[in-house]
Amino acid sequence: SMDGLTRELARLVAECSLADISAEARDQAKRHIVDCIGVAVAGAVSEPGKVVDGVVTELGEGGTTTLLGSGITVSVTTAAWAN
């Protein structure tokens, strides 16, 4: 089941130490994280990103989670979609 798979993955991650991960894998992970942040920032300041900001502003939802690059606060669910 998905619950069993999630539980097993969580257990593996919780029991993993830095020594268990190769230097190559750590370097790749760092590169992917930086890439993801760069894409998120670029998207936040792009024209489509501004359109998304406008849509969520019109919804007037409010919340505690900030959209990247705008300072607009929305619900966690909306931020996951918009960011």
Side-chain angles (χ1 to χ4, degrees), residues 66-78:
T66 305
L67 295 185
L68 293 171
S70 72
I72 298 168
T73 56
V74 295
S75 70
V76 172
T77 306
T78 299

Side-chain angles (χ1 to χ4, degrees), residues 5-29:
L5 290 172
T6 302
R7 190 178 321 279
E8 179 64 13
L9 179 59
R11 184 189 66 74
L12 288 170
V13 170
E15 293 175 0
C16 184
S17 73
L18 195 56
D20 297 327
I21 304 169
S22 71
E24 180 182 357
R26 289 192 308 269
D27 288 343
Q28 291 251 356

